Structure formats: structure tokens, C-alpha cells
Amino acid sequence: MIHADLSDREDGWREQLWTQQLAPDRFEVACLPFFTYGICYRDVVAIDSNHLVTAVLEKSGHRTLRVALVIDHPDRDQLHELLHDSTIEAGLPHEWLQGTYLAVDLPPGTDPTAALVKILEASAQTGALHWEIDS
């Protein structure tokens, strides 16, 4: 495990990243980052002596679709189930964090299905969630 420094957003904040070590200071990301921008699944990164990411050495071509459900929205639980089912139906690898954050892997050449984007756009307009795609 290595860490991405997110202290530019909140002092001392870091995201833990599961990786596969390729060389003493080179690691391939083996998870879907929830909060770290510019790093996606299978990217190769360099670290420093504190195991903090210092650079992205190779981009994998994967992108990350991130969704944050609004905690106090009355439709949150139903929306969670709908997004979960839609992501599974689309065959997209994904991870949930605390039931409100969703990270979806978009492998090279993959776009989120029209049905999933339609759900995201409609739900964002009602204030139920926020979403983005990072590469």
C-alpha cells in the first residue's frame, strides 16, 4: 500500500492506494481511487521514501467515474441500489465507500452506458448526487 497526498484539500489528508510493486519505487495502482485526481486503475506511479506518490509514470488509459451521493437526500438508498444495479448490468468494475461514494472503472475504449449517464444526469439535476469522470 502507498498513499496519495491530498493535503491541498485538507491538512494531513491522504488516500490509501492498493498497488502491485513493479520495482523498488514503481507501483501499479490496483484499486479505484475515490479522491485522488489524475491517478486511475493500472496507472504506474513513483513514490518517495514515505510511500507517498510523487509522479504518474505511465497512464493505463483507464478512467474513473466518481459519484458522491448526498447523504441527507431522501432518495439516497433507492439511488444507491439503482446505481449499483446499473453498474453491474453494464459490467463495469466498481467499488463503494461508506455507501455514499462510488468509483467505477472505465477501461480504455469504454464509455459509461447511456442508461447509467441518464441516471447520473437526472439525479444530479435533483441535487441527489455529484459525479465526474477523471482520466
Side-chain angles (χ1 to χ4, degrees), residues 1-7 12-17 25 27 39 45-56:
M1 269 187 279
I2 62 174
H3 293 93
D5 183 6
L6 303 176
S7 59
W13 201 29
R14 294 180 177 179
E15 181 170 11
Q16 179 176 286
L17 301 174
D25 63 346
F27 292 80
I39 297 176
V45 299
I47 63 165
D48 64 16
S49 60
N50 294 317
H51 290 63
L52 288 173
V53 174
T54 58
V56 176

Side-chain angles (χ1 to χ4, degrees), residues 51-71:
H51 290 63
L52 288 173
V53 174
T54 58
V56 176
L57 303 175
E58 297 173 28
K59 293 297 290 176
S60 63
H62 288 249
R63 295 176 302 148
T64 304
L65 168 67
R66 292 187 182 95
V67 179
L69 300 177
V70 174
I71 291 174

Side-chain angles (χ1 to χ4, degrees), residues 67-114:
V67 179
L69 300 177
V70 174
I71 291 174
D72 58 357
H73 195 278
D75 298 328
R76 186 192 64 169
D77 293 339
Q78 295 87 348
L79 188 53
H80 174 103
E81 290 302 319
L82 179 60
L83 288 171
H84 186 77
D85 293 347
S86 296
T87 304
I88 288 174
E89 185 176 307
L92 297 171
H94 62 283
E95 296 181 29
W96 282 96
L97 176 65
Q98 300 174 350
T100 56
Y101 295 103
L102 171 64
V104 180
D105 179 42
L106 301 175
T110 302
D111 284 314
T113 65

